Amino acid sequence: MPEAWVRIRGLHYARGEQVIFDGIDMDIPRGRLTAIMGPSGTGKTTLLRLIGGQLRPDAGSVEVAGQNVSALRSKALYRLRQRMGMLFQNGALLTDLSVFENVAFPLREHTRLPERMIRDLVLMKLHAVGLRGARELMPAQLSGGMARRVALARAIALDPEMVMFDEPFTGQDPISLGVLVSLLRRLTDALGLTSLMVSHDVQESLSIADYVYVISEGQVVEHGTPAALRRSTSPWVQQFLQGQSDGPVPFHYPAPDYRADLLAEAP
Amino acid sequence: MTAFLQRLGAGTLGITERVGRGHLFLLHVLGGFPGLLPRFGLVMKQIYASGVLSLLIVAVSGLFVGMVLALQGYNTLVDFGATESLGVVVSLSLVRELGPVVAALLFAGRAGSALTAEIGLMKATEQLSAMEMMAVNPLHRVVAPRLLGGIIAMPLLAAIFSAVGILGGYFVAVGLLGVDEGAFWSQMQAKVDLYEDIANGVIKSVVFGFVVTWIAVFEGYDAVPTSEGVSRATTRTVVHASLAVLGLDFILTALMFGDE
Ligand SMILES: Nc1ncnc2c1ncn2[C@@H]1O[C@H](COP(=O)(O)OP(=O)(O)OP(=O)(O)O)[C@@H](O)[C@H]1O
Ligand SMILES: [Mg+2]
């Protein structure tokens, strides 16, 4: 296993009363594609924000490229962030800029490249996600899946060392899904990108990831290669991978007993 | 009684905290001003956006205010047989007072609310967050150009308001009420002082532009990132900015013209 680009130790994080992480350890290996899976609302997006330094852990440490993220001053943090890309769950495109300008945004902010070169780079990234022809459109004119692909192009515009993808496959048709899956694989293999992907898509994740972490209720439930995970004897993991509704994984947000709730007096 | 005191205390603490946050915010935004010099295009875009947004309403209001001033002033002056001074009355009221103040109030309602909504929505849709992750400071990239744009646009709008207002006053005075045209302009030229009146008016409007835009961008940046939060913030901008303009106007007027 190659060295870890992200090293998380004893991470605790709570939002008010709600404990989201209760002491987790994780190593995201350099140059590999790591998938993070877990039920909706367990804190996968929160984990990415902790890695990106937008949230600070209550205890424990998050190290990225050998630097403790929460101890960095803002200058150093911004320098580190130039080496990371992030695809937001909802795309988060800048609504006052066209598709082209959105992808060009990080290049214009952080480099002094001539216009000609920016154009070529942007078109290359847009071509990779199949949206070179949509460059003139505004974000409001894109479908959800298209917006996410533009955001993906933007996340890799600066050729970062690591990219975090928050649910890149949601809202894609089978064809673009296939293209995105192979794009992620290609980026990782050809450019040596460290990829960290959050996904609910069990089959897709297991088929392309090199390593998988499954988190739930503030803990790492299981981690290993996809093959090891498939062989896992944990009933929890088996239920999650097969998407059964009965088993140790709760589908419901914690709530009082259903029957009692329905029979209770209206307040 | 203790409950009341408790609420009073909590309220005061809340306000104090917000005011403190507003100032820290301003400090960070001002830190982005030097970086705007090589990229002045960003500021130009904002001057255009907030200036053009308010241009029509400012010009139309200026016209009517000028016309009303002439009518009202004429009624008073005619008793003293001093209607040639109508030009002075109209222009001084506009340049010293109504131009900066009314233009700032209109600017708060039109451009200020739009700024708050824009920044608040950018926050709600995670655009500001995305910028941070792209290692771009939204305070420098988004907020600073808007603040500087507002500071520059405001005196221009106030000047337009006064100019159009004087024209409106002229139409009413000379065209409608038969005041002597030569007296109207020459008295105005003689009595309106470049430093005493015009410069002070410009200072006022720069201060108003700064305060209104500051409140607008802070409310947007500090908004609760939901539709409801943004709409509340927009309302707060208009109310707070208008009150701030009127309060500051009194203070500035007392400082500038108080010892005459
Ligand atoms: N801004 C916030 N304020 C308060 N609580 C929040 C906030 N954002 C998220 N949470 C809570 O934190 C928990 C984790 O949220 P997070 O968005 O990280 O989940 P997730 O694993 O990404 O879920 P999904 O797969 O549905 O995207 C949720 O239970 C949510 O209620
Ligand atoms: Mg999420």
Side-chain angles (χ1 to χ4, degrees), chain B residues 176-226:
Chain B
L176 219 61
L177 305 170
V179 173
D180 181 57
E181 181 170 1
F184 184 87
W185 291 121
S186 63
Q187 289 246 1
M188 193 189 298
Q189 278 182 0
K191 289 278 166 57
V192 179
D193 185 75
L194 178 61
Y195 295 106
E196 187 77 348
D197 302 315
I198 297 185
N200 278 340
V202 171
I203 292 174
K204 269 189 184 178
S205 63
V206 170
V207 173
F208 295 161
F210 169 70
V211 171
V212 169
T213 321
W214 174 22
I215 291 176
V217 290
F218 176 67
E219 288 291 353
Y221 195 81
D222 202 50
V224 178
T226 59

Side-chain angles (χ1 to χ4, degrees), chain A residues 15 18 20 39-46 89 167 200 253:
Chain A
R15 276 197 195 269
Q18 186 190 6
I20 298 182
S40 180
T42 34
K44 302 180 295 297
T45 301
T46 309
Q89 197 163 357
E167 311 205 3
H200 288 302
Y253 194 86

